[in-house]
Amino acid sequence: MIKPLGERVLVQPAEQEQTTSFGIVLPDSSKEKPQEGTIVAVGSGILKDGVRVPLEVKEGDRVLFSKYAGTEIKYEGKEYLIMKESDIHAILG
């Protein structure tokens, strides 16, 4: 598995709708980038004044993040984003 470093997190983006309400199938190029996903792994935290401060998010949290946040990667056939915790705007309850 992938282990993010420092203040980075590994997010699995939520799946987007494949069809419109009229039944039109959307190609990948016309889909909006997801802004919601699930935290899969978290880094060890931020180092401040020699003390490691843990991240606010944890594995399993559903989160909202910036539209173009993170770096897209594929690992074992699945798509993920690696991003800084500061790119996350909210935890969905």
Side-chain angles (χ1 to χ4, degrees):
M1 189 59 183
I2 299 170
K3 175 68 177 165
L5 301 177
E7 66 171 312
R8 289 178 176 74
V9 297
L10 183 67
V11 177
Q12 185 169 27
E15 291 292 320
Q16 295 296 329
E17 281 290 321
Q18 300 289 335
T19 58
T20 66
S21 59
F22 298 108
I24 298 171
V25 176
L26 297 174
D28 286 341
S29 61
S30 69
K31 292 181 194 170
E32 289 284 321
K33 287 184 67 86
Q35 291 180 268
E36 182 180 328
T38 303
I39 302 287
V40 177
V42 297
S44 56
I46 302 168
L47 195 59
K48 274 190 178 178
D49 300 323
V51 177
R52 180 82 47 195
V53 179
L55 302 180
E56 290 184 53
V57 295
K58 63 185 182 311
E59 290 180 18
D61 283 347
R62 283 186 37 231
V63 295
L64 291 176
F65 49 85
S66 300
K67 190 173 210 171
Y68 296 102
T71 302
E72 296 176 353
I73 61 166
K74 280 192 175 185
Y75 181 73
E76 295 183 350
K78 294 183 181 178
E79 293 185 13
Y80 298 98
L81 292 169
I82 293 181
M83 67 181 69
K84 291 185 175 185
E85 184 184 42
S86 59
D87 290 329
I88 297 172
H89 299 296
I91 298 172
L92 300 173

